[in-house]
Amino acid sequence: MEIVFQRPKALSDVSSHYCPGCTHGIIHRLVAEVLDELDLTGKTVGVAPVGCAVLAYNYFECDMAQAAHGRAPAVATGLKRANPANIVFTYQGDGDLAAIGTAETIHAAARGENITIIFVNNAIYGMTGGQMAPTTIPGQITQTSPYGRDPKYAGFPLKVCETLSTIDGTAYAERVSVDSVKNVINAKKAIKKAFEYQIAGKGFTIVEVLSTCSTNWGLEPVEALTWLRENLIPYYPLGVYKDKEVF
Amino acid sequence: MAEKVLMKGNEAIAEAAIMAGCRHFFGYPITPQTEVAAYMAKRMPKMGGTYLQAESEIAAINMVYGASSAGVRAMTSSSSPGISLKSEGLSYMAGSDLPAVLVNIQRGGPGLGGIRPSQSDYFQATRSSGHGDFHMIVLAPNNVQEMFDLTVEAFELADQYRMTAMILGDGMLGQVMEPVDISRGEAASNVTKDWALTGTKGQRKRNVINSLYLEAEELEMLNLKRFEKYADVEKIARTDNYLTEDAEVIIVAYGICARIARNAINEARKKGIKAGLIRPVTLWPFPKNQLKTAAEKAKAFVVVEMSMGQMIQDVELSIRCSRPVHLCSRTGGMVPTPEAVLEAIENAAQAERS
């Protein structure tokens, strides 16, 4: 019988720790499929963040480093500079990338560092139990914005793709979502393109993936997808924000 | 034939690193060590290496973390406030057993302090260069030649033990110019780094560089294993002694203070006081056995350091407080004078007689 669907080789044959309904699994799979399709696993080094995806080093079948909170782009810089023949990617959440690691992210982009960042934005701190993230949207209730995020008090969310698109060193920045089949397919295309740009040495690439957090949003998995669609996408519009080859 | 060149201490460190095979330097400017970065910026591109000015000290040490993970010799350099920022990365490197060389050309503190030479980061270097249970190798040069030699050695030791090694200098050593024999630098050994992240190439299982261990038993086991390694590192502890054979008053000083102490000892000898110097070259591991042996003969110790008294604790611990230990110190970026050290020697000798 012909096998039509199986686990990507770049993904380990282990159970993950992610909560039911969380879309990290989908995003992991997309990255792994791209590594398989581009035959990159043997030359790839991934960098895991601090936060929900901290154990990503257990799930990707390539060499992996685990970085300090927010420092993944700096660690990736060191890895890439030491061995430019390697394909280097970081896998980071919103707290890691857009709060404590803002400087590392912006400056890796400014240097045009030839790495790929997979940025998972679920608008909340998941690992620590649902606190406000830099990407928590106005009105969103979290453990540390119990009355809903009020921009007058807590400031505005950070729009990462928009910000990075203004930086000359950014070669490619696209925001995608994994709330529907169509968007998942599109997300994979974006991730593949980011890795292809890195192979071609075009510079800094980032794919922001809007993701769910059923547990800390307090929603059933399907409701979470709906909430993402109705709340996150309007605030964080999908699309290509920077493509060096196009504009 | 010896090839001697006139160099600043900071430049000697940079040249030594290059000769030791380091091709990846990540830094951030801070006085009084900036010549290390400037030298690297000039030389590295010509050596096919990387000089990268990071956006912060935090980023720089994490770039070192990344480069070291890839198996290359990597280095960063800073001065006191910058070292504080690097402490997070140092802890992660210790937790991941990564080798690298770190330079601290100390200035006065705490806080922004000043830019004059100091030795007030001794505790930070030898006790707590980050959170958690760990140590790093700390080497203390006292002249420009040693800044060169010990930097080469630091790379060797770091690779051998998979640890970070620090060159602990001060603003005066960093800035002083002296002739250096740089022919001693070609000693780069090739320690196998089969743990490095270079891509599996489909030929081995993946390597993981990590310091997260959620199981307490596993983490404790790793910490215990790491301390077994540290017990082995103890054997590198060493001192440089001056006139200690018959010394009744032993000065203990490192770095620039040791040079000042030598002058004071010469003067003391002229006055008939049997003074000698024990200069720890390794601050961690601290040469406690050498101190213990000296305490069998000496009547008193005088610790000279540019802090409110930090290394003095190691001296007292090493000799189990079996002899009086006096402190002669300046702080905040002030350097002790030979006269002040001589006075401290005389006072210690006088106290013993009475």
Side-chain angles (χ1 to χ4, degrees), chain B residues 103-131:
Chain B
V103 178
N104 181 5
I105 302 298
Q106 300 168 87
R107 55 191 263 178
L112 202 48
I115 59 170
R116 302 273 178 162
S118 173
Q119 293 179 327
S120 52
D121 303 345
Y122 181 90
F123 281 159
Q124 187 191 39
T126 62
R127 301 290 199 279
S128 183
S129 43
H131 62 279

mmCIF file of all heavy atoms in Angstrom, chain B residues 103-131:
data_model
loop_
_atom_site.group_PDB
_atom_site.id
_atom_site.type_symbol
_atom_site.label_atom_id
_atom_site.label_comp_id
_atom_site.label_asym_id
_atom_site.label_seq_id
_atom_site.Cartn_x
_atom_site.Cartn_y
_atom_site.Cartn_z
ATOM 1 N N VAL B 103 37.400 37.903 29.087
ATOM 2 C CA VAL B 103 38.382 38.810 29.673
ATOM 3 C C VAL B 103 37.652 39.868 30.502
ATOM 4 O O VAL B 103 36.677 40.445 30.027
ATOM 5 C CB VAL B 103 39.209 39.499 28.561
ATOM 6 C CG1 VAL B 103 40.201 40.486 29.170
ATOM 7 C CG2 VAL B 103 39.921 38.461 27.706
ATOM 8 N N ASN B 104 38.123 40.074 31.726
ATOM 9 C CA ASN B 104 37.595 41.164 32.539
ATOM 10 C C ASN B 104 38.747 42.084 32.932
ATOM 11 O O ASN B 104 39.578 41.734 33.763
ATOM 12 C CB ASN B 104 36.885 40.631 33.791
ATOM 13 C CG ASN B 104 36.294 41.763 34.648
ATOM 14 O OD1 ASN B 104 36.341 42.940 34.263
ATOM 15 N ND2 ASN B 104 35.742 41.412 35.794
ATOM 16 N N ILE B 105 38.801 43.251 32.304
ATOM 17 C CA ILE B 105 39.773 44.269 32.691
ATOM 18 C C ILE B 105 39.053 45.191 33.668
ATOM 19 O O ILE B 105 38.323 46.097 33.271
ATOM 20 C CB ILE B 105 40.282 45.031 31.438
ATOM 21 C CG1 ILE B 105 40.907 44.048 30.440
ATOM 22 C CG2 ILE B 105 41.284 46.113 31.841
ATOM 23 C CD1 ILE B 105 42.114 43.285 30.945
ATOM 24 N N GLN B 106 39.256 44.900 34.942
ATOM 25 C CA GLN B 106 38.423 45.507 35.988
ATOM 26 C C GLN B 106 38.604 47.013 36.162
ATOM 27 O O GLN B 106 39.704 47.538 36.089
ATOM 28 C CB GLN B 106 38.734 44.859 37.343
ATOM 29 C CG GLN B 106 38.487 43.379 37.406
ATOM 30 C CD GLN B 106 39.089 42.802 38.667
ATOM 31 O OE1 GLN B 106 38.462 42.776 39.709
ATOM 32 N NE2 GLN B 106 40.331 42.340 38.584
ATOM 33 N N ARG B 107 37.473 47.665 36.435
ATOM 34 C CA ARG B 107 37.439 49.063 36.812
ATOM 35 C C ARG B 107 36.719 49.183 38.164
ATOM 36 O O ARG B 107 36.150 48.208 38.649
ATOM 37 C CB ARG B 107 36.710 49.886 35.753
ATOM 38 C CG ARG B 107 35.307 49.382 35.456
ATOM 39 C CD ARG B 107 34.707 50.031 34.231
ATOM 40 N NE ARG B 107 33.841 51.137 34.580
ATOM 41 C CZ ARG B 107 33.222 51.893 33.671
ATOM 42 N NH1 ARG B 107 33.387 51.652 32.376
ATOM 43 N NH2 ARG B 107 32.440 52.885 34.027
ATOM 44 N N GLY B 108 36.749 50.373 38.723
ATOM 45 C CA GLY B 108 36.148 50.540 40.044
ATOM 46 C C GLY B 108 34.634 50.430 40.019
ATOM 47 O O GLY B 108 33.987 50.823 39.059
ATOM 48 N N GLY B 109 34.066 49.940 41.086
ATOM 49 C CA GLY B 109 32.621 49.809 41.209
ATOM 50 C C GLY B 109 32.222 50.061 42.648
ATOM 51 O O GLY B 109 33.057 50.507 43.435
ATOM 52 N N PRO B 110 30.992 49.803 43.060
ATOM 53 C CA PRO B 110 29.917 49.188 42.278
ATOM 54 C C PRO B 110 29.221 50.169 41.330
ATOM 55 O O PRO B 110 29.577 51.342 41.290
ATOM 56 C CB PRO B 110 28.954 48.703 43.361
ATOM 57 C CG PRO B 110 29.160 49.642 44.500
ATOM 58 C CD PRO B 110 30.616 50.030 44.446
ATOM 59 N N GLY B 111 28.244 49.624 40.604
ATOM 60 C CA GLY B 111 27.497 50.447 39.656
ATOM 61 C C GLY B 111 28.380 50.857 38.498
ATOM 62 O O GLY B 111 29.260 50.123 38.089
ATOM 63 N N LEU B 112 28.168 52.049 38.009
ATOM 64 C CA LEU B 112 28.990 52.512 36.891
ATOM 65 C C LEU B 112 30.401 52.820 37.377
ATOM 66 O O LEU B 112 31.358 52.744 36.617
ATOM 67 C CB LEU B 112 28.349 53.762 36.262
ATOM 68 C CG LEU B 112 28.731 54.087 34.826
ATOM 69 C CD1 LEU B 112 28.634 52.871 33.918
ATOM 70 C CD2 LEU B 112 27.865 55.218 34.291
ATOM 71 N N GLY B 113 30.526 53.123 38.657
ATOM 72 C CA GLY B 113 31.834 53.274 39.285
ATOM 73 C C GLY B 113 32.719 54.262 38.569
ATOM 74 O O GLY B 113 32.354 55.408 38.373
ATOM 75 N N GLY B 114 33.893 53.789 38.189
ATOM 76 C CA GLY B 114 34.831 54.657 37.468
ATOM 77 C C GLY B 114 35.633 53.817 36.496
ATOM 78 O O GLY B 114 35.409 52.612 36.386
ATOM 79 N N ILE B 115 36.571 54.446 35.808
ATOM 80 C CA ILE B 115 37.315 53.691 34.795
ATOM 81 C C ILE B 115 38.744 53.378 35.234
ATOM 82 O O ILE B 115 39.542 52.869 34.461
ATOM 83 C CB ILE B 115 37.327 54.449 33.444
ATOM 84 C CG1 ILE B 115 37.974 55.829 33.603
ATOM 85 C CG2 ILE B 115 35.905 54.582 32.893
ATOM 86 C CD1 ILE B 115 38.236 56.535 32.279
ATOM 87 N N ARG B 116 39.061 53.696 36.482
ATOM 88 C CA ARG B 116 40.403 53.415 36.990
ATOM 89 C C ARG B 116 40.532 51.958 37.426
ATOM 90 O O ARG B 116 39.544 51.330 37.754
ATOM 91 C CB ARG B 116 40.690 54.335 38.178
ATOM 92 C CG ARG B 116 40.596 55.799 37.850
ATOM 93 C CD ARG B 116 41.895 56.319 37.316
ATOM 94 N NE ARG B 116 41.803 57.707 36.950
ATOM 95 C CZ ARG B 116 42.857 58.491 36.779
ATOM 96 N NH1 ARG B 116 44.072 57.999 36.936
ATOM 97 N NH2 ARG B 116 42.703 59.731 36.425
ATOM 98 N N PRO B 117 41.781 51.460 37.472
ATOM 99 C CA PRO B 117 41.978 50.030 37.776
ATOM 100 C C PRO B 117 41.456 49.625 39.149
ATOM 101 O O PRO B 117 41.536 50.395 40.099
ATOM 102 C CB PRO B 117 43.493 49.860 37.697
ATOM 103 C CG PRO B 117 44.076 51.223 37.702
ATOM 104 C CD PRO B 117 43.038 52.140 37.158
ATOM 105 N N SER B 118 40.975 48.410 39.207
ATOM 106 C CA SER B 118 40.412 47.888 40.443
ATOM 107 C C SER B 118 40.517 46.368 40.433
ATOM 108 O O SER B 118 40.795 45.761 39.395
ATOM 109 C CB SER B 118 38.948 48.318 40.546
ATOM 110 O OG SER B 118 38.331 47.691 41.644
ATOM 111 N N GLN B 119 40.330 45.794 41.605
ATOM 112 C CA GLN B 119 40.256 44.323 41.703
ATOM 113 C C GLN B 119 39.000 43.934 42.481
ATOM 114 O O GLN B 119 38.975 42.921 43.163
ATOM 115 C CB GLN B 119 41.515 43.788 42.408
ATOM 116 C CG GLN B 119 42.788 43.988 41.598
ATOM 117 C CD GLN B 119 44.024 43.484 42.321
ATOM 118 O OE1 GLN B 119 44.104 43.540 43.550
ATOM 119 N NE2 GLN B 119 45.002 42.991 41.570
ATOM 120 N N SER B 120 37.983 44.749 42.337
ATOM 121 C CA SER B 120 36.809 44.536 43.181
ATOM 122 C C SER B 120 35.787 43.572 42.582
ATOM 123 O O SER B 120 34.692 43.423 43.111
ATOM 124 C CB SER B 120 36.146 45.880 43.509
ATOM 125 O OG SER B 120 35.908 46.614 42.336
ATOM 126 N N ASP B 121 36.169 42.907 41.485
ATOM 127 C CA ASP B 121 35.272 41.875 40.928
ATOM 128 C C ASP B 121 35.753 40.477 41.306
ATOM 129 O O ASP B 121 35.358 39.490 40.682
ATOM 130 C CB ASP B 121 35.211 41.981 39.393
ATOM 131 C CG ASP B 121 34.765 43.354 38.919
ATOM 132 O OD1 ASP B 121 34.235 44.128 39.741
ATOM 133 O OD2 ASP B 121 34.953 43.652 37.729
ATOM 134 N N TYR B 122 36.616 40.394 42.307
ATOM 135 C CA TYR B 122 37.181 39.094 42.697
ATOM 136 C C TYR B 122 36.092 38.110 43.118
ATOM 137 O O TYR B 122 36.055 36.966 42.678
ATOM 138 C CB TYR B 122 38.188 39.297 43.841
ATOM 139 C CG TYR B 122 38.846 38.020 44.303
ATOM 140 C CD1 TYR B 122 40.024 37.574 43.735
ATOM 141 C CD2 TYR B 122 38.267 37.249 45.318
ATOM 142 C CE1 TYR B 122 40.631 36.387 44.157
ATOM 143 C CE2 TYR B 122 38.862 36.070 45.747
ATOM 144 C CZ TYR B 122 40.043 35.649 45.170
ATOM 145 O OH TYR B 122 40.627 34.475 45.589
ATOM 146 N N PHE B 123 35.190 38.600 43.967
ATOM 147 C CA PHE B 123 34.086 37.712 44.398
ATOM 148 C C PHE B 123 33.287 37.247 43.183
ATOM 149 O O PHE B 123 32.937 36.081 43.045
ATOM 150 C CB PHE B 123 33.128 38.441 45.358
ATOM 151 C CG PHE B 123 33.610 38.551 46.770
ATOM 152 C CD1 PHE B 123 33.095 39.531 47.611
ATOM 153 C CD2 PHE B 123 34.544 37.670 47.273
ATOM 154 C CE1 PHE B 123 33.520 39.635 48.919
ATOM 155 C CE2 PHE B 123 34.983 37.764 48.590
ATOM 156 C CZ PHE B 123 34.469 38.758 49.418
ATOM 157 N N GLN B 124 32.962 38.225 42.325
ATOM 158 C CA GLN B 124 32.145 37.892 41.157
ATOM 159 C C GLN B 124 32.833 36.840 40.291
ATOM 160 O O GLN B 124 32.198 35.910 39.808
ATOM 161 C CB GLN B 124 31.895 39.164 40.338
ATOM 162 C CG GLN B 124 30.913 38.977 39.202
ATOM 163 C CD GLN B 124 30.901 40.186 38.277
ATOM 164 O OE1 GLN B 124 31.924 40.790 37.987
ATOM 165 N NE2 GLN B 124 29.715 40.543 37.822
ATOM 166 N N ALA B 125 34.142 36.988 40.122
ATOM 167 C CA ALA B 125 34.877 36.060 39.259
ATOM 168 C C ALA B 125 35.026 34.680 39.892
ATOM 169 O O ALA B 125 34.871 33.665 39.217
ATOM 170 C CB ALA B 125 36.253 36.633 38.932
ATOM 171 N N THR B 126 35.336 34.676 41.191
ATOM 172 C CA THR B 126 35.681 33.389 41.806
ATOM 173 C C THR B 126 34.514 32.744 42.542
ATOM 174 O O THR B 126 34.544 31.553 42.830
ATOM 175 C CB THR B 126 36.831 33.560 42.826
ATOM 176 O OG1 THR B 126 36.381 34.438 43.870
ATOM 177 C CG2 THR B 126 38.064 34.137 42.156
ATOM 178 N N ARG B 127 33.490 33.529 42.861
ATOM 179 C CA ARG B 127 32.372 32.982 43.643
ATOM 180 C C ARG B 127 31.093 32.865 42.831
ATOM 181 O O ARG B 127 30.432 31.845 42.856
ATOM 182 C CB ARG B 127 32.062 33.868 44.856
ATOM 183 C CG ARG B 127 33.169 34.062 45.833
ATOM 184 C CD ARG B 127 33.453 32.765 46.589
ATOM 185 N NE ARG B 127 34.193 33.030 47.810
ATOM 186 C CZ ARG B 127 35.505 33.229 47.853
ATOM 187 N NH1 ARG B 127 36.207 33.188 46.744
ATOM 188 N NH2 ARG B 127 36.106 33.451 49.004
ATOM 189 N N SER B 128 30.752 33.958 42.136
ATOM 190 C CA SER B 128 29.402 33.976 41.585
ATOM 191 C C SER B 128 29.346 34.744 40.280
ATOM 192 O O SER B 128 28.898 35.876 40.233
ATOM 193 C CB SER B 128 28.457 34.611 42.613
ATOM 194 O OG SER B 128 27.138 34.566 42.131
ATOM 195 N N SER B 129 29.792 34.107 39.233
ATOM 196 C CA SER B 129 29.746 34.760 37.925
ATOM 197 C C SER B 129 28.432 34.434 37.223
ATOM 198 O O SER B 129 28.332 34.501 36.016
ATOM 199 C CB SER B 129 30.933 34.314 37.093
ATOM 200 O OG SER B 129 31.128 32.931 37.224
ATOM 201 N N GLY B 130 27.430 34.122 37.989
ATOM 202 C CA GLY B 130 26.111 33.793 37.455
ATOM 203 C C GLY B 130 25.377 32.930 38.458
ATOM 204 O O GLY B 130 25.948 32.529 39.472
ATOM 205 N N HIS B 131 24.091 32.644 38.167
ATOM 206 C CA HIS B 131 23.314 31.848 39.108
ATOM 207 C C HIS B 131 23.632 30.354 39.001
ATOM 208 O O HIS B 131 24.036 29.886 37.944
ATOM 209 C CB HIS B 131 21.814 32.070 38.879
ATOM 210 C CG HIS B 131 21.363 31.638 37.510
ATOM 211 N ND1 HIS B 131 21.522 32.431 36.398
ATOM 212 C CD2 HIS B 131 20.797 30.489 37.073
ATOM 213 C CE1 HIS B 131 21.045 31.786 35.344
ATOM 214 N NE2 HIS B 131 20.614 30.613 35.725
#
